[in-house]
Amino acid sequence: MATTVIAVAIILLGILRIIPIRPWQRLVASLANGLFRLWGYAVTAMFNLTQKTIWQIEGGVELRRDGWYMIMANHLSWVDILVLMRLAHKDMPMPRFFLKQELFWVPFIGFGCWVLDMPFMKRYSRQLLEKKPHLKGKDIETTRRSCEKFKTLPTTVINFCEGTRFTEKKRAQKHSPYQHLLPPKAGGTAFTLQAMEGNFDAILDITIVYPDRNPDKPLVIDFLAGRLRHIHLHIDALPATDDLVGDYFNDAAFKEHFQSWLNTRWELKDQRIENIMQSHRSQAQR
């Protein structure tokens, strides 16, 4: 209910934003961002009312609302978005997600995300790109335009580096070298860092673990049934150093360096998930 009411309010602001007066548009964008934060508080209240969840959060950094951050996270379910909203709603700039273009047509939510300057990404298959090579790079151009907007308003950019939700089937199809993760896609992450031109105060490498989840059943079922018992988050705050900013698509040496850096982060993340799962199983057996 709260989601619908806030989405409608944001949509109404979006209609007002059409007026082509730049100071007015900035005011409307600021009001919409405030409503978005209100939704974050609503998400938190929903968790508290519907879930008897034990939250365990490790690591982190002192955050501020007027900063800029990039989150790199693993991805298991759309519940991850609610989890990150609960994490961010109080002490961080409101997050922006890279969304599939199909989500634009979801009633209320799609247009509301557009008003909030969420970038909608259209993914093209390798077969389609071979037939229509002019489409290559369109997603990167979308990222560039979005990052230009992100520079004007403190923002947390959230990047699910795997590009899709993890399942055992996908892990097998992609021949993933990781036990709990899909291989990360480095291009979008590297391009976001480049497009923001060093504006990020920190990179937050967040590991999301649901120790009680049944891998054979969608996590959202447990969430809707109020059975989300345990959520474990680990936050590594990393500096956005100069060696992580470069031309990923035209500089072969930088591309190799960045891929190696991200793969190393993913190896650490995979081992961390395994350690958390093992610790949880040990505690359950006591």
Side-chain angles (χ1 to χ4, degrees):
M1 181 63 180
T3 297
T4 302
V5 171
I6 294 172
V8 169
I10 290 174
I11 288 169
L12 293 175
L13 284 174
I15 295 171
L16 296 175
R17 191 178 178 184
I18 295 173
I19 300 173
I21 301 174
R22 187 158 297 182
W24 170 257
Q25 290 179 333
R26 285 198 294 267
L27 173 62
V28 171
S30 179
L31 292 173
N33 199 60
L35 286 171
F36 190 32
R37 189 176 295 278
L38 180 61
W39 183 65
Y41 278 95
V43 167
T44 300
M46 177 185 61
F47 266 110
N48 294 339
L49 291 172
T50 65
Q51 313 289 325
K52 296 180 180 179
T53 304
I54 299 172
W55 291 79
Q56 188 169 354
I57 302 175
E58 298 179 316
V61 66
E62 185 175 346
L63 303 169
R64 63 182 201 274
R65 288 191 182 187
D66 61 346
W68 277 262
Y69 304 97
M70 183 174 76
I71 289 177
M72 303 189 310
N74 56 308
H75 194 19
L76 284 161
S77 165
W78 68 260
V79 177
D80 301 339
I81 295 175
L82 302 180
V83 169
L84 292 176
M85 283 295 299
R86 186 187 186 279
L87 180 69
H89 78 281
K90 189 175 181 181
D91 299 318
M92 293 173 66
M94 292 312 294
R96 298 296 188 270
F97 301 89
F98 288 90
L99 305 171
K100 295 179 182 179
Q101 190 179 50
E102 292 80 3
L103 293 177
F104 178 80
W105 305 107
V106 176
F108 299 112
I109 295 175
F111 188 73
C113 289
W114 175 81
V115 175
L116 290 165
D117 289 325
M118 303 276 188
F120 289 89
M121 311 292 289
K122 188 170 184 178
R123 296 171 181 166
Y124 302 100
S125 67
R126 183 178 301 176
Q127 294 81 1
L128 182 60
L129 289 175
E130 288 174 354
K131 294 178 181 178
K132 299 182 178 181
H134 67 280
L135 295 176
K136 189 175 183 180
K138 290 288 187 180
D139 53 346
I140 296 301
E141 183 56 34
T142 300
T143 305
R144 185 192 302 278
R145 290 196 303 268
S146 297
C147 287
E148 287 299 319
K149 295 178 182 179
F150 294 160
K151 291 179 185 178
T152 64
L153 183 72
T155 302
T156 301
V157 179
I158 295 182
N159 190 359
F160 293 116
C161 298
E162 295 157 295
T164 186
R165 289 170 290 181
F166 174 90
T167 66
E168 288 295 336
K169 181 179 179 180
K170 291 176 184 176
R171 187 174 82 92
Q173 289 173 340
K174 293 178 179 293
H175 305 288
S176 174
Y178 310 106
Q179 184 175 353
H180 303 284
L181 301 166
L182 303 177
K185 296 182 177 181
T189 304
F191 189 80
T192 301
L193 286 166
Q194 181 190 18
M196 289 296 289
E197 299 176 339
N199 283 2
F200 286 121
D201 295 291
I203 300 169
L204 306 180
D205 184 355
I206 298 183
T207 303
I208 306 172
V209 186
Y210 306 95
D212 300 318
R213 78 179 184 94
N214 182 344
D216 299 321
K217 184 171 61 175
L219 186 67
V220 66
I221 294 178
D222 285 336
F223 173 76
L224 294 175
R227 296 195 300 262
L228 205 56
R229 294 290 179 252
H230 198 121
I231 298 175
H232 193 125
L233 301 176
H234 188 282
I235 306 171
D236 268 342
L238 311 171
T241 51
D242 291 342
D243 67 300
L244 299 178
V245 180
D247 190 346
Y248 181 87
F249 299 99
N250 296 299
D251 185 338
F254 174 75
K255 180 176 182 177
E256 182 179 357
H257 166 72
F258 193 87
Q259 286 179 332
S260 176
W261 174 81
L262 187 57
N263 288 338
T264 298
R265 296 305 314 174
W266 238 239
E267 290 169 8
L268 293 171
K269 187 184 293 287
D270 194 52
Q271 185 58 56
R272 182 170 290 121
I273 294 172
E274 178 62 22
N275 292 342
I276 292 171
M277 297 293 288
Q278 285 185 1
S279 175
H280 185 78
R281 286 193 291 265
S282 297
Q283 292 176 9
Q285 291 170 1
R286 292 175 185 172

